[in-house]
């Protein structure tokens, strides 16, 4: 078994779509990024890559590469999962904590779990997503952006 941790944060942009865990969430602002700004998928990718000691998201998908501009981050997650399979790793489970002051994310947690599990070809039960505020503290608390932590467990198959 191998464990990995991932962290990502994106600041809000002036408009655009808010996508978290592959789910489009109604909000006045999206997250600024080269890709779709899906901090949940990015943190999860980094946790998976970290568990396998295969570097990080930026190594595999450079943010100055036009190929990844505006990219659906679920596609990145799918490619990370394929890389792990190639290297003989199976994902056991993952747990994500989102830090956001707004919008309220609880109504979207089930859809995020489903979208992430679906793209990883896993049972929804194996993917946990939680959301919390920072009680108005720090940049997240001032509503300047959204952050996500993820941990993932891998099993070496050979
Ligand atoms: Mg990111």
């Amino acid at each position: 078994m191998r464990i990995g941790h991932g962290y990502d944060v994106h600041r809000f942009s002036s408009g655009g779509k808010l996508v978290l865990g592959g789910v489009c969430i109604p909000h006045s602002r999206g997250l600024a990024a080269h890709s779709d700004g899906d901090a949940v998928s990015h943190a999860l990718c980094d946790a998976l890559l970290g568990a396998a000691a295969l570097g990080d998201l930026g190594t595999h998908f450079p943010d100055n590469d036009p190929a990844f501009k505006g990219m659906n981050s679920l596609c990145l997650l799918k490619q990370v999962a394929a890389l792990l399979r190639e290297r003989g790793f199976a994902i056991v489970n993952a747990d994500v904590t989102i830090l956001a002051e707004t919008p309220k994310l609880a109504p979207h947690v089930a859809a995020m779990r489903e979208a992430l599990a679906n793209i990883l070809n896993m049972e929804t039960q194996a993917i946990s997503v939680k959301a919390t505020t920072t009680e108005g503290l720090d940049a997240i608390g001032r509503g300047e952006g959204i952050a996500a932590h993820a941990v993932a467990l891998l099993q070496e198959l050979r």
Side-chain angles (χ1 to χ4, degrees):
M1 296 287 194
R2 299 176 61 119
I3 194 165
H5 171 260
Y7 172 78
D8 194 30
V9 61
H10 284 268
R11 64 171 68 242
F12 278 119
S13 59
S14 48
K17 278 195 309 184
L18 176 60
V19 181
L20 291 173
V23 175
C24 196
I25 294 166
H27 193 51
S28 52
R29 294 176 296 170
L31 294 172
H34 184 67
S35 67
D36 61 3
D38 186 344
V40 169
S41 295
H42 296 174
L44 186 50
C45 282
D46 269 353
L48 293 168
L49 290 169
L54 287 172
D56 61 19
L57 202 55
T59 319
H60 296 272
F61 310 102
D63 69 1
N64 53 10
D65 187 334
F68 307 122
K69 189 159 170 53
M71 186 158 192
N72 178 345
S73 296
L74 286 184
C75 297
L76 304 180
L77 198 51
K78 194 177 180 135
Q79 291 181 56
V80 167
L83 179 65
L84 294 180
R85 258 195 316 277
E86 252 171 52
R87 302 294 179 105
F89 293 108
I91 306 166
V92 177
N93 76 302
D95 182 24
V96 180
T97 301
I98 310 169
L99 308 179
E101 203 65 27
T102 56
K104 283 277 165 255
L105 295 175
H108 307 287
V109 160
M112 285 189 242
R113 290 179 63 200
E114 217 164 287
L116 295 170
N118 195 39
I119 205 78
L120 294 172
N121 257 318
M122 294 175 66
E123 298 290 330
T124 311
Q125 199 49 45
I127 305 292
S128 162
V129 174
K130 314 185 300 297
T132 185
T133 70
T134 60
E135 297 285 335
L137 300 170
D138 69 32
I140 301 292
R142 290 190 296 272
E144 294 175 16
I146 288 180
H149 290 272
V151 288
L153 191 67
L154 303 183
Q155 184 172 16
E156 259 182 296
L157 299 175
R158 52 174 188 249

